[in-house]
Amino acid sequence: MLIKTTAMVVLLLTSGSLFAAPSISPTTATFEQLAQQQAHNTPLQIIDCRNSNLYNGWPEPQQQYGGHIAGAVNIDASWLKTLDTSGFQTLLRDKHLKPTLPTYLYCSADKAQQLTSALQAQGYQSLTTINQSLSHYHGQLSALPNFQQLVPASWLHDLIDGKHPRYAPKHGYKLVEVEWGPPTKYLLDHIPGSLYVNTNTIESKPWWNKVSNTALTKVIADLGIRYDTTVILYARNNMSAARFANFLMYAGVKDVRLLNGGWTAWINAGYPTENLPNYNKKPVAFGKTIPVNPQYIIDTTQVKSLLKKPASQQSVVSIRTWPEYIGKTSGYDYIKPKGRIEGAKWGHAGSDSYHMQDFLNPDQTMKSGNEIAAQWAKWNIKPRQDVTFFCGTGWRASEAFFFAHVLGWKNISVYDGGWYQWSANKNNPTADGTIIPANVH
């Protein structure tokens, strides 16, 4: 299960930093000594400075289980390469870390040193590093319920190389890049072996909703995808990949995965690319009647029915910027009405309609599940509810939907029409203006 963040913070160290080495050698400790401090209820912070995939649940080499120590926050030391001082300070505030509390870091020695130096520069004085492998930790680790659906670039690289990594596909796989428009960037550079999907083939005018089931069936067949084929998706901005992920899950593909961090993660890792296009040679029958999971995409009538339930039982979630939510802007040049669906809760998003910073780490990987769940809980958006996500036309909502899926949320969907279709009918109730969160507990 997903464990809620506590006051503790443990640092997991990673590589790469613009900060100089610390002037004072950090204190070292073992996991056993950390456990003793925890047993005495000593106030402390734990930072897991390894990469987010290991934090989420992917096991390290030669380790049976993955995940993180309950209460640890994730700060990958490699993020320091892309953060200036202001950005690092914002990150520490977002993680609710305090320079006055004893802080433990666990990761490799070089990464621990990099992060220690950066923290010392921000006034952190009581810093202790744990250089042991997490295999020496004897407590229960916390991991995302469906972490396997969010794959590391290293895992994908091994898979493409013909190796058999842990959680490998059981019935073959297809790797697909998903973007809007012709494959301009794809033809210059893409992950080896990947096919291409233009979102214009899976969305239709006027609202940019999902195409008909007949048309979707053809797209899937042309890609060579059966219901039991593992499909791994990525994009330059993973919103478009998540959009197709939602459609594939709706269709009935049993194993849909997203490359954590998308194209950025692949390039950052220095893995090879190719420029020759790939095509599936022979269409295949899906093997089931589409849709197998119609509940993953809902329409306007279903949203209205959902809103009639008590707020404690349902959440219609606006994955839009705060200015969009309160009606200062529509967020799009082709959408004129401003405001929100009356009764919708704010689910966060990013700086504009093309970004999702509230859900992403500095390296574009998925933010800690605890942090995502916490920002939703403030608006009474909770896992046991019937939850649907919407944005302007479905892309941002689909990424939030997929993250909720990785978190193990069950009753989730995307409102396909989004604000675009809802606001086009003046009879649909709307609201604007600032609102206090429905639940602040």
Side-chain angles (χ1 to χ4, degrees):
M1 292 181 62
L2 190 63
I3 306 296
K4 292 184 178 179
T5 303
T6 68
M8 291 182 211
V9 180
V10 176
L11 304 174
L12 306 177
L13 307 179
T14 58
S15 62
S17 170
L18 297 178
F19 295 85
S23 56
I24 303 174
S25 298
T27 303
T28 60
T30 64
F31 284 117
E32 183 179 3
Q33 291 170 320
L34 171 62
Q36 291 172 352
Q37 294 297 312
Q38 292 175 306
H40 288 92
N41 294 317
T42 303
L44 54 84
Q45 305 176 130
I46 304 173
I47 300 175
D48 186 328
C49 33
R50 304 170 305 162
N51 74 65
S52 62
N53 295 297
L54 300 176
Y55 180 88
N56 289 344
W58 286 88
E60 294 185 46
Q62 288 77 52
Q63 190 170 313
Q64 185 173 5
Y65 301 106
H68 58 273
I69 297 173
V73 301
N74 186 211
I75 300 181
D76 185 339
S78 66
W79 299 344
L80 297 174
K81 289 188 255 183
T82 58
L83 291 172
D84 57 17
T85 300
S86 176
F88 185 54
Q89 291 171 341
T90 299
L91 180 66
L92 295 176
R93 284 195 301 270
D94 289 345
K95 301 288 184 181
H96 305 291
L97 296 175
K98 298 178 180 179
T100 55
L101 284 179
T103 303
Y104 288 76
L105 304 81
Y106 64 94
C107 55
S108 63
D110 60 331
K111 292 182 177 182
Q113 187 180 52
Q114 294 158 11
L115 191 53
T116 295
S117 176
L119 290 168
Q120 285 179 339
Q122 297 304 316
Y124 287 71
Q125 297 179 350
S126 180
L127 296 168
T128 303
T129 64
I130 300 174
N131 294 331
Q132 293 176 305
S133 164
L134 202 55
S135 61
H136 289 87
Y137 181 73
H138 298 300
Q140 185 174 0
L141 298 176
S142 178
L144 297 177
N146 293 323
F147 70 86
Q148 302 96 327
Q149 308 313 122
L150 197 63
V151 304
S154 57
W155 178 92
L156 179 58
H157 182 255
D158 285 348
L159 186 68
I160 294 171
D161 267 4
K163 299 176 183 176
H164 192 77
R166 198 175 305 192
Y167 308 112
K170 296 180 179 179
H171 302 285
Y173 75 93
K174 296 292 183 181
L175 174 62
V176 185
E177 178 173 330
V178 187
E179 310 288 351
W180 175 80
T184 307
K185 292 182 178 179
Y186 170 86
L187 291 175
L188 292 174
D189 238 0
H190 54 263
I191 298 176
S194 59
L195 305 172
Y196 184 82
V197 165
N198 178 346
T199 58
N200 285 333
T201 66
I202 59 174
E203 294 180 315
S204 61
K205 296 180 179 180
W207 313 120
W208 299 110
N209 287 354
K210 176 190 67 65
V211 293
S212 70
N213 290 333
T214 300
L216 181 62
T217 298
K218 184 179 186 307
V219 170
I220 294 173
D222 288 346
L223 290 169
I225 295 171
R226 285 175 41 86
Y227 74 93
D228 57 356
T229 304
T230 293
V231 183
I232 305 158
L233 306 169
Y234 76 94
R236 313 288 160 150
N237 179 329
N238 256 1
M239 287 190 293
S240 54
R243 180 68 162 158
F244 193 34
N246 174 242
F247 290 177
L248 291 173
M249 290 170 66
Y250 161 91
V253 178
K254 295 169 64 176
D255 187 11
V256 180
R257 310 193 194 189
L258 204 62
L259 173 59
N260 196 16
W263 173 255
T264 299
W266 187 264
I267 294 302
N268 285 348
Y271 292 137
T273 62
E274 64 178 11
N275 54 23
L276 293 176
N278 299 294
Y279 305 96
N280 180 63
K281 296 179 181 179
K282 184 178 180 180
V284 300
F286 187 66
K288 290 183 180 290
T289 301
I290 293 175
V292 176
N293 300 307
Q295 72 276 10
Y296 285 143
I297 298 177
I298 68 173
D299 59 22
T300 300
T301 300
Q302 290 169 298
V303 172
K304 290 180 177 179
S305 296
L306 199 58
L307 286 167
K308 292 178 181 178
K309 295 182 180 181
S312 60
Q313 297 178 17
Q314 57 80 18
S315 286
V316 175
V317 184
S318 175
I319 303 297
R320 303 162 74 212
T321 66
W322 182 250
E324 286 175 278
Y325 181 75
I326 65 174
K328 283 191 174 181
T329 177
S330 75
Y332 303 81
D333 56 8
Y334 57 87
I335 301 178
K336 301 307 177 185
K338 302 174 184 178
R340 59 179 176 271
I341 295 173
E342 187 174 36
K345 304 171 186 178
W346 188 49
H348 287 258
S351 56
D352 56 36
S353 57
Y354 304 101
H355 294 88
M356 288 278 280
Q357 292 99 326
D358 293 350
F359 292 86
L360 302 176
N361 293 316
D363 62 356
Q364 302 305 301
T365 57
M366 175 185 163
K367 188 181 286 188
S368 162
N370 286 319
E371 295 175 52
I372 293 175
Q375 70 187 16
W376 282 343
K378 288 182 179 179
W379 285 82
N380 192 22
I381 303 165
K382 298 182 178 180
R384 294 186 182 275
Q385 296 171 344
D386 192 345
V387 180
T388 193
F389 301 96
F390 77 93
C391 55
T393 61
W395 286 34
R396 288 176 290 175
S398 294
E399 190 161 17
F401 164 88
F402 197 85
F403 289 160
H405 171 61
V406 173
L407 266 62
W409 291 32
K410 302 294 185 185
N411 300 317
I412 55 174
S413 64
V414 170
Y415 167 37
D416 200 15
W419 175 245
Y420 194 14
Q421 186 172 6
W422 183 277
S423 63
N425 186 339
K426 295 182 179 179
N427 293 321
N428 290 333
T430 63
D432 56 27
T434 302
I435 184 174
I436 298 174
N439 178 45
V440 294
H441 301 294

